[in-house]
Amino acid sequence: MLRYFYAILLTGFVSDQAVAQFPATRKDSPLYLPDTLLYVPRDVQLAYKNGTRSPDGRPGRRYWQNSGRYEISIDAAPPDRTIRGSEKITYFNNSPDTLRVIVFR
């Protein structure tokens, strides 16, 4: 039980020390989140700064999302154990950037 108490005490101490250095916890920062001492990862802070995400979790004013339309046709011949198919993908780039490479996985 005592070990558990020390773990909580140490975690609280480390959290308060670590949190003090992040802009989202300083009142003079535009990324300040009131009533919280939670750690905000750098990539999330960058999303707030870029306007793609808002601190309340909703998409920001500069949020975009790419999409794709898939057309798939398959022919299966069970007696011959053959499957033939084709696929057409139409990709929609809604980002403000030009995509030089598309990666398929």
Side-chain angles (χ1 to χ4, degrees):
M1 184 70 171
L2 190 57
R3 190 180 311 170
Y4 180 74
F5 175 75
Y6 286 132
I8 291 173
L9 190 62
L10 181 60
T11 303
F13 176 74
V14 171
S15 296
D16 290 344
Q17 294 296 320
V19 162
Q21 65 182 337
F22 296 104
T25 61
R26 292 195 311 258
K27 290 186 179 182
D28 61 337
S29 171
L31 301 176
Y32 174 68
L33 302 173
D35 301 327
T36 184
L37 289 178
L38 297 176
Y39 167 73
V40 179
R42 284 187 211 145
D43 56 341
V44 174
Q45 290 181 29
L46 185 60
Y48 296 159
K49 184 179 177 183
N50 291 338
T52 56
R53 191 60 68 182
S54 62
D56 64 357
R58 296 181 190 171
R61 65 189 180 329
R62 296 184 62 215
Y63 176 80
W64 51 265
Q65 188 171 23
N66 293 339
S67 62
R69 181 183 309 137
Y70 299 86
E71 297 174 25
I72 303 170
S73 66
I74 298 175
D75 294 322
D80 298 336
R81 301 173 117 185
T82 59
I83 298 175
R84 289 190 175 85
S86 65
E87 180 178 22
K88 177 183 174 184
I89 302 172
T90 305
Y91 189 80
F92 299 97
N93 180 17
N94 296 316
S95 76
D97 301 321
T98 301
L99 295 178
R100 301 192 191 287
V101 176
I102 298 176
V103 178
F104 289 95
R105 294 187 183 183

